[in-house]
Amino acid sequence: MSERGNSIVLIGFMGAGKSSIGRRLAALTQWSRYDTDEMIRKKAGRSIAQIFAVEGEEHFRELESETVRELPADRSSIIVTGGGILLRKQNAAQLRRLGFLIYLRADEKTLFRRVSRRATRPLLQTENPRARLHELLETRTPLYEKYGDAVVDTAQKNHDEVAEAVLQAAPSFASR
Ligand code: S3P
């Protein structure tokens, strides 16, 4: 992989704070913000939960990969991704082409507390969401660690502190 863009790409598990931090970063940098889940919702004309329920996860993953291919490569942006985006290698490769991947990390207990506030995540609508979260975290953590260019811990920080830490970690912004 040769050329890499200057965008800031937020990766991490559900509840890591990617969407909120993405909004904060867009305000701070004045860069455009692209949220893959939002783009998928618009494209499909329905919620992520409805897509999972009607067409299934595979179809959602197809839409997700299509969306990653549509992200702009010609300007610095803030890119917010869904927690499963790295499951497909080609998504990871494309995101790396666009910029710097920041892994927003939090411990399992914190993630569970945050995701329990809203029942919008189809993957956690099971008999035992706590066990499911544990299982998903086990398979995804190695991917976040593999592809993350930098890690920012979010558990003990407020949104401003996390956004500041992301900007400090991202070389594109620091060099401006
Ligand atoms: C998913 C995470 C969700 C969303 C979809 C699948 C996942 O995004 O893309 O429900 O596989 O982890 P968030 O990480 O923003 O919750």
Side-chain angles (χ1 to χ4, degrees):
M1 212 142 323
S2 47
E3 284 292 294
R4 293 187 66 181
N6 285 324
S7 291
I8 294 177
V9 183
L10 300 181
I11 59 167
F13 201 74
M14 299 176 259
K18 300 177 299 269
S19 300
S20 313
I21 301 304
R23 278 192 208 95
R24 193 73 46 121
L25 287 170
L28 286 169
T29 56
Q30 298 289 300
W31 292 356
S32 301
R33 180 182 62 88
Y34 297 86
D35 181 319
T36 57
D37 278 351
E38 269 177 34
M39 292 166 78
I40 294 167
R41 273 199 296 272
K42 263 189 214 145
K43 194 196 288 268
R46 51 194 179 279
S47 71
I48 305 291
Q50 283 168 326
I51 300 171
F52 267 74
V54 178
E55 289 115 328
E57 178 169 355
E58 259 322 286
H59 182 71
F60 172 79
R61 298 293 169 207
E62 284 301 324
L63 293 175
E64 191 171 49
S65 295
E66 203 178 290
T67 303
V68 168
R69 290 194 293 273
E70 287 163 8
L71 291 167
D74 58 347
R75 74 191 99 120
S76 300
S77 318
I78 304 296
I79 298 170
V80 175
T81 65
I85 207 133
L86 300 178
L87 292 170
R88 290 194 173 186
K89 260 196 183 153
Q90 77 264 29
N91 294 347
Q94 175 62 7
L95 292 170
R96 281 176 57 83
R97 260 175 236 126
L98 300 179
F100 198 70
L101 274 64
I102 307 267
Y103 168 24
L104 296 186
R105 180 171 63 194
D107 59 274
E108 190 170 332
K109 221 171 123 192
T110 303
L111 291 171
F112 189 66
R113 184 167 39 78
R114 290 181 185 162
V115 298
S116 301
R117 286 185 202 137
R118 281 185 299 145
T120 51
R121 274 129 172 155
L123 289 176
L124 298 174
Q125 303 312 302
T126 61
E127 288 255 307
N128 189 345
R130 184 73 179 77
R132 178 84 171 122
L133 182 141
H134 178 79
E135 209 178 274
L136 289 170
L137 199 56
E138 295 255 295
T139 52
R140 271 97 182 273
T141 301
L143 296 172
Y144 304 136
E145 287 175 348
K146 175 175 177 186
Y147 292 109
D149 294 296
V151 186
V152 172
D153 265 300
T154 69
Q156 312 295 331
K157 296 188 183 78
N158 64 36
H159 287 167
D160 286 329
E161 290 166 339
V162 174
E164 193 47 48
V166 170
L167 293 180
Q168 271 176 19
S172 55
F173 195 75
S175 64
R176 236 141 261 262

